[in-house]
Every structure is written in structure tokens, then in C-alpha cells.
Amino acid sequence: MKARSSLEREFLEKWRKGLQIGKEDSTILERKDAIKLSADVAIAATKNAATHWRRALLCDVVSENPTNKHVVEHILGHKFKNTATRLTACSRRILRISQKRRQKAAPRRVVPKSRKRNRSRALRMLVPGGEEMDGVLLLQETLDYIVSLRAQVDVMRCLASIG
Amino acid sequence: MEPGLEGPQLQFRSAEMGCAFDDFHGLISTPQLTAASSFTALLELAPPQAVELLVTEDFPAKQPPPPPPIFPTDIGLIHRASKFSVFASADNSLETNTILSVSNSLAVKQEELDADSRRNSYSPADSDQSLKSGKRKEREKKLKESNKKSKSKAANEPSDNGGAEELPYVHVRARRGQATDSHSLAERARREKINARMKLLQELVPGCNKISGTAMVLDEIINHVQALQRQVEFLSMRLAAVSPGIDFDLDSLFTVNGSSNDNSYSGMIAPPICTEGQLDGARQLQLQQLWHCDELQQPVWARETDTSNFIAPANSLLSYDSTSANSGKPFAPRCTTS
């Protein structure tokens, strides 16, 4: 598909950019971390980092290790602002309470709600930035996330099979 | 009154009533001897309407009226609807809705619509207020149903075209027998959005088409995302082992890869150079379990197991590293597992 290959090409370019920075890594683990970091930042930088999960992923990367920030900025091409992308604890609580209230108004379903909520919670933990999304947005972001992950895996596999 | 005069009147009235339509037809077709009885029958069946008969004035040429009188009622409903909604392409959708609803009404419910337009011009008597309002509600609900079908048709087209894009603001109509307050309407709109996105996800994730029920599909989606994330981990580890000097090696690899990125996998799976580190048995089993989750990639991975090699777990890695660092060669013979 044309759209997919353009996404893959964009990912490849950005990944290469990030890897060029890589300093001399001695251990395999360090190398693996550097590769994974560049790959994750690259896939988050595709499509101009517009979606929720992309921004959340970049935030996580930067907050995990501050030295990653220059990698992020090199790949992105512009300054990365860490602020105002994540909700505070208080606002997150408000969001969840309003979601619970909305769910109470709906009628009963065949599958007990608790199981569905567990599943949605599991999905939220998987998708970066998922805790702050409501049901509709979560599914949308999951869709985009799966597509991007697939592109990432495809490119990496191609590369791994060549070498 | 002569039965001859009454004939067309009866016909007209029967069209208006709707419920006793067939009975009236039977009555009309009876010979003139029973004209009086038909009149009384009319009276029995619907006294209020009979009162109306005497009151109303517009008798001449009561064929089913030409289409234009039908429009005001439909447009009225649609204007009320448009107040509540903001269409992305407001004019187009309004037009399509009028056209669709008009075609529906013309085809199916012409008599009831005649009655509606008639009733609007009447000045209702007090006695038949309840009866008429009851019938009006029935017909309005039927109208609403047809309108809802037309609206959902009009709304579905942009959503089908959009695919993963944002759906335009859809005005949801209350169907017959469902609550009409704003909360449940919003709930229904939200549920429909969620269902639309679930359908897209079902198409995307392999093997979800056969599963019925959103809970199982969610499970599959979660599995798929987990599998993809794990694959990224393993692939990055593998790439780390392929070349120690990432910068220059991968550069050349990238230039090769850029040209062949669009090929199918059958072309890509050339037997890799067997200078990579050796496989660890446990790791291979783990990876095979991972592949079973993801059916799409399974054949690809199966081919790769024979020829490719994978990274040993962390413990043996350190020993591997030390040997490689000492020897200067990137790849060493079978590493010792601790």
C-alpha cells in the first residue's frame, strides 16, 4: 500500500538520523537501547507527532532519561517542549470520574462491565498516553498506534534479515 | 344530502382516517340504497370526523393533492432537526434529506401525509383533540422512522468514505419506542462512534473478523499490540548483535534497504550471513511462542529460524561481550550459558 510504504520510508529516514548521533556503545545492551530509542522516537516523529500517543511517547522518552532529549530534537528537527502535554493528577481524576458517570447511564450489557473495564485498562497501559483518553479516543489512537507499530516492525525486520 | 355528493367526500375522508380505510371502501362501493346507512356507519365509526365533515369548507376536487403541499411538513421537521445539528456540509445534507424523505413519503405514506397537511389547516374541535393527537403522534413517529432511515443513509456515506477519519457531527433521531431525552441520545451517538471504530480495528487486526462480541475483539487487539511491542524489542536486540559498529554498517545497509523496501518478504529473506552469534535454545522457544500469537508473520519467522540467529539472554551476553571485546571479532563461537 502506498500509504504504508511512505510511512515506512519516513520512519527509516528518521531512524537513520537518530542512529547517526549514537556514541560508541560497548555493550550489546547499550546498543540495543540506542537502536530501540531511535526507532521509537522515529516512529513517534512520523506524521508530525500530531496524535496523542505520539506526544505521550516522546514525553515518556524524555522524562525517562534527560539525555535523550537531544536525540528527540535532532530527529524532530525542532525544539521539543515537555510541558502541557500530560495532564496533572487532579485533572486526570476529574476526567475518570466524568467517564464513570457517563458509563453508569448506559444500560446493562451481556458481558459484565468489570471485565470490559479490565480490558480497556489493559489497553490503556499498552498504548502510550492511554490513561487520559476516553473510550472513543482510545480506540482511535489504538488504530493509529497499531498501524505505526506494524510499519516499525516491518522495517526493522527487513533490516535484520539483510544484515 | 345526496349519496352522489357524499361519494367523493367519503372517499376523501376515508383517505384521511387511514385506520378504517378498507371499511370505507366497502361502504362506498355499496349501492345507493344503503347510502344513508353508510352515512350512519360513518357516524358510528368516527363521530368526531363526521362533525368535521360538516365544518370544513375545502371540498372541491379532492384528489390527492399535488406534491408541493407535502413539502412544508417535511421541511418543518427537517428544519427542527437542523437546529440541533451542525452538518459538515449543511446545505448538501439538508437537500439530500428533503429529497430522500420526500421520496419516501411519496412512495409509501402519501395518505397519512395528506392527512397531516389537512389537519394542519383545520381548526380542531375540542372533543376530538385527544383522538387526533394520538393519531398524529403515530404518524409522526412513522415519519420519524422514515426520516431517520434517510438521515442515517445520508450520514453513513461520509463515514464510509472517511474510514479512519473523524466522523462529521451526526444528528441522531429518536427511534420509535426509545427514550428521547438528550442524555440517551448523546449516549447512543457515542456508542455508535465506538462501534464504528471497533469495526475498523476488527478489519485491521488479523483474525478478528470471525469473532463476535467486542470483548473478545478487545482481547485480540491487546494481544496484537503486545506482540508488536515485543517484536520491536527482539528486533532491536537482534540488530544490536548484527553489527557492533552501528554507524557505518547500518549506513550501507540503509542504502540497500531503501531501494528494496517495497519488495515482498519472499525476496527479502535471503539466508543471512552465518557470522552472527549462536542461538540460545530457551530464547528460541520463547520467540516461537511469540510467533504463534501473530499468524501473519508466522511463515516469515519460520523461515528465519533455520538460518538466523538470536541473542542470548542477559547473563550470557556479558560473557559473550567480554570474549568479543577481547578477540576483536564481533562474533564468537557458541557462548557459554551461565
Side-chain angles (χ1 to χ4, degrees):
Chain A
M1 275 191 284
K2 269 199 173 173
R4 230 179 83 182
S5 65
S6 73
L7 179 66
E8 288 175 359
R9 249 184 274 262
E10 198 185 342
F11 166 65
L12 192 60
E13 279 306 311
K14 301 212 155 126
W15 191 21
R16 187 154 66 101
K17 247 173 131 180
L19 287 172
Q20 278 165 356
I21 292 183
K23 46 211 184 294
E24 193 54 44
D25 300 312
S26 51
T27 65
I28 265 195
L29 278 173
E30 282 180 12
R31 283 206 296 269
K32 166 231 169 196
D33 286 338
I35 290 176
K36 183 157 185 288
L37 170 74
S38 290
D40 286 341
V41 173
I43 201 65
T46 56
K47 301 220 171 146
N48 223 4
T51 58
H52 278 82
W53 68 265
R54 286 190 166 96
R55 287 196 293 262
L57 186 56
L58 290 173
C59 280
D60 286 340
V61 156
V62 171
S63 53
E64 218 171 312
N65 193 353
T67 54
N68 296 337
K69 192 162 182 185
H70 68 279
V71 176
V72 169
E73 283 177 355
H74 180 80
I75 290 183
L76 272 179
H78 57 267
K79 271 256 177 242
F80 177 68
K81 289 212 182 82
N82 205 1
T83 57
T85 41
R86 301 292 234 142
L87 299 176
T88 62
C90 179
S91 51
R92 210 174 302 166
R93 213 183 315 136
I94 294 174
L95 189 65
R96 292 303 287 165
I97 288 173
S98 69
Q99 284 177 11
K100 272 187 216 158
R101 202 186 73 80
R102 210 187 301 136
Q103 283 167 12
K104 270 187 195 146
R108 277 189 74 83
R109 303 252 166 83
V110 182
V111 178
K113 278 285 186 66
S114 58
R115 266 182 245 162
K116 273 215 170 180
R117 219 171 291 139
N118 286 339
R119 286 191 183 94
S120 70
R121 208 180 302 148
L123 191 58
R124 266 176 237 272
M125 288 195 288
L126 283 177
V127 177
E131 301 94 18
E132 296 139 12
M133 302 180 198
D134 63 337
V136 182
L137 188 61
L138 181 66
L139 291 179
Q140 206 172 317
E141 296 282 313
T142 309
L143 206 62
D144 197 37
Y145 186 52
I146 287 179
V147 169
S148 310
L149 268 181
R150 263 212 202 144
Q152 187 179 9
V153 164
D154 287 345
V155 171
M156 290 176 91
R157 193 190 298 143
C158 274
L159 199 58
S161 66
I162 290 178
Chain B
M1 291 216 245
E2 283 185 28
L5 268 176
E6 279 186 68
Q9 291 175 27
L10 275 175
Q11 206 169 18
F12 158 67
R13 288 301 151 209
S14 65
E16 183 204 339
M17 309 294 186
C19 43
F21 192 70
D22 295 329
D23 296 336
F24 279 133
H25 258 311
L27 287 170
I28 290 160
S29 56
T30 55
Q32 288 182 355
L33 285 170
T34 57
S37 60
S38 65
F39 187 62
T40 49
L42 169 63
L43 276 174
E44 283 165 10
L45 279 165
Q49 270 79 7
V51 170
E52 252 179 9
L53 245 174
L54 308 169
V55 171
T56 72
E57 310 166 41
D58 36 337
F59 273 134
K62 285 314 155 201
Q63 299 298 315
I70 300 177
F71 278 25
T73 53
D74 284 349
I75 286 182
L77 287 167
I78 289 167
H79 279 312
R80 254 184 285 146
S82 64
K83 274 186 218 160
F84 298 130
S85 66
V86 178
F87 288 104
S89 56
D91 299 330
N92 293 342
S93 51
L94 271 175
E95 280 169 11
T96 51
N97 279 336
T98 31
I99 290 169
L100 282 168
S101 55
V102 163
S103 62
N104 277 348
S105 52
L106 282 175
V108 179
K109 300 191 190 335
Q110 197 163 15
E111 295 108 1
E112 278 114 327
L113 287 170
D114 295 348
D116 272 343
S117 55
R118 285 288 161 289
R119 222 182 280 115
N120 287 342
S121 51
Y122 290 160
S123 55
D126 288 353
S127 57
D128 51 66
Q129 187 71 17
S130 55
L131 186 67
K132 274 188 1 178
S133 56
K135 285 195 181 156
R136 184 183 300 159
K137 269 186 201 157
E138 246 181 78
R139 278 174 207 149
E140 273 179 0
K141 270 191 183 153
K142 284 184 196 162
L143 261 180
K144 274 183 181 173
E145 259 196 274
S146 65
N147 273 346
K148 174 161 207 305
K149 284 177 205 154
S150 59
K151 271 198 205 298
S152 57
K153 265 185 252 164
N156 273 342
E157 282 151 28
S159 70
D160 285 338
N161 294 338
E165 297 171 20
E166 274 288 302
L167 296 172
Y169 199 104
V170 176
H171 175 66
V172 181
R173 250 311 177 26
R175 261 179 288 190
R176 186 166 181 177
Q178 289 188 343
T180 53
D181 57 326
S182 62
H183 285 297
S184 46
L185 276 180
E187 271 293 317
R188 199 172 318 120
R190 185 176 156 268
R191 250 179 282 148
E192 281 172 11
K193 271 194 223 174
I194 288 186
N195 287 336
R197 280 162 179 84
M198 283 295 285
K199 264 190 221 154
L200 288 172
L201 274 169
Q202 262 185 310
E203 287 167 30
L204 192 64
V205 178
C208 269
N209 294 325
K210 304 149 194 168
I211 299 179
S212 58
T214 45
M216 306 298 146
V217 173
L218 267 178
D219 273 342
E220 281 298 317
I221 293 169
I222 290 173
N223 281 337
H224 194 53
V225 171
Q226 275 175 337
L228 285 172
Q229 284 175 340
R230 265 178 279 160
Q231 278 184 17
V232 169
E233 283 274 344
F234 291 147
L235 280 169
S236 62
M237 187 70 103
R238 187 172 157 191
L239 283 170
V242 161
S243 62
I246 293 175
D247 309 321
F248 32 86
D249 271 14
L250 281 178
D251 232 0
S252 58
L253 285 172
F254 276 130
T255 49
V256 172
N257 202 27
S259 55
S260 56
N261 211 3
D262 300 333
N263 294 348
S264 62
Y265 284 122
S266 49
M268 291 315 301
I269 309 298
I273 312 160
C274 295
T275 49
E276 299 182 35
Q278 292 293 329
L279 262 171
D280 190 42
R283 193 65 152 193
Q284 195 182 12
L285 263 175
Q286 205 177 357
L287 286 166
Q288 276 184 343
Q289 279 169 10
L290 163 69
W291 303 328
H292 282 303
C293 305
D294 211 344
E295 303 133 303
L296 256 188
Q297 283 104 15
Q298 194 170 11
V300 174
W301 282 111
R303 263 176 282 163
E304 286 185 81
T305 41
D306 306 331
T307 50
S308 59
N309 299 297
F310 294 90
I311 319 307
N315 298 345
S316 45
L317 258 180
L318 296 172
S319 56
Y320 175 94
D321 255 350
S322 56
T323 53
S324 67
N326 290 342
S327 61
K329 281 189 228 166
F331 311 112
R334 177 175 290 278
C335 46
T336 54
T337 53
S338 55

